[in-house]
Amino acid sequence: MERRDYLMDQINELGLFIAKLMGRLSKMAQDNQHDLLQGEAKDALTVQFGWELDDLLFLEKSAFISLMEENLLADEHYEKLAEIFSLLGDHALEHETLLRKELYYQKALWLLRYVDHHSSNYSMERQRKIVDLEVRLNG
C-alpha cells in the first residue's frame, strides 16, 4: 500500500509540474512574451528532468518515445507535454527556422499518437489535436 501511495504521489507531482509549466507558458503567450517562452520551457525541463530542449527536438522517434516512457507516468502527462510542444511551435520566434517549428509540432504529434495507441480511452479532443498537428506539418 505504501508503494502505491508513493507512485500516486509521483504521478500527481509530475502532473502538477507539467500543468504549472503549461500555465506559465500560456500566460506568457497571452502577454505577448513570446521571446521568453522557449527559455522558460528549457529551464523547467532541465530542472525537472535533466532534459535539454534542443536535444529533445532532434531525437529520432524511437529514442524520444523511450525517453518519455522512462519519465512520464500517465497519459495526461503525455497529452500536456504535447500541448507544451505545440504551444512552443505556435510561438517559435521569427528568427527560428521553419524546421524548429516543425520539430515542435512533430514531437507533439508523436506524444498524442502514443497516447492514442496505448490508451483504452478514446478522445475526440485528442483526435482533433492530432488532425490539427498533421495539417500544420503537411500544410
Side-chain angles (χ1 to χ4, degrees):
M1 184 70 163
E2 192 173 305
R3 182 180 170 132
R4 179 171 164 73
D5 290 342
Y6 176 73
L7 183 58
M8 288 305 296
D9 287 347
Q10 281 187 307
I11 290 170
N12 291 334
E13 184 179 316
L14 187 55
L16 186 60
F17 162 78
I18 295 171
K20 283 182 177 179
L21 176 58
M22 185 62 196
R24 288 193 309 267
L25 296 177
S26 295
K27 176 90 170 95
M28 288 177 179
Q30 288 174 347
D31 295 344
N32 290 319
Q33 297 176 327
H34 306 290
D35 54 330
L36 300 177
L37 280 170
Q38 188 176 16
E40 178 70 18
K42 278 183 178 183
D43 293 346
L45 293 174
T46 300
V47 168
Q48 180 69 28
F49 299 106
W51 297 340
E52 291 296 328
L53 185 57
D54 288 341
D55 293 344
L56 286 179
L57 285 180
F58 291 97
L59 283 176
E60 293 295 322
K61 184 176 182 179
S62 61
F64 179 77
I65 294 299
S66 292
L67 185 62
M68 296 302 111
E69 288 174 333
E70 291 172 14
N71 290 276
L72 302 180
L73 304 171
D75 289 349
E76 67 188 44
H77 299 160
Y78 288 87
E79 292 191 63
K80 288 294 182 191
L81 194 56
E83 285 183 45
I84 289 169
F85 277 110
S86 184
L87 181 71
L88 289 170
D90 290 345
H91 298 286
L93 299 178
E94 305 237 341
H95 67 274
E96 292 183 303
T97 65
L98 180 59
L99 172 65
R100 184 170 293 271
K101 188 179 211 65
E102 288 176 355
L103 289 171
Y104 284 125
Y105 290 149
Q106 181 184 63
K107 298 307 183 266
L109 183 59
W110 289 350
L111 290 166
L112 291 174
R113 283 184 178 158
Y114 177 88
V115 172
D116 201 48
H117 180 72
H118 289 89
S119 177
S120 59
N121 297 326
Y122 180 81
S123 168
M124 288 293 289
E125 180 66 18
R126 186 183 323 120
Q127 290 300 314
R128 184 197 61 76
K129 290 176 183 178
I130 287 171
V131 169
D132 183 52
L133 286 166
E134 288 172 340
V135 167
R136 291 178 192 189
L137 284 168
N138 297 321

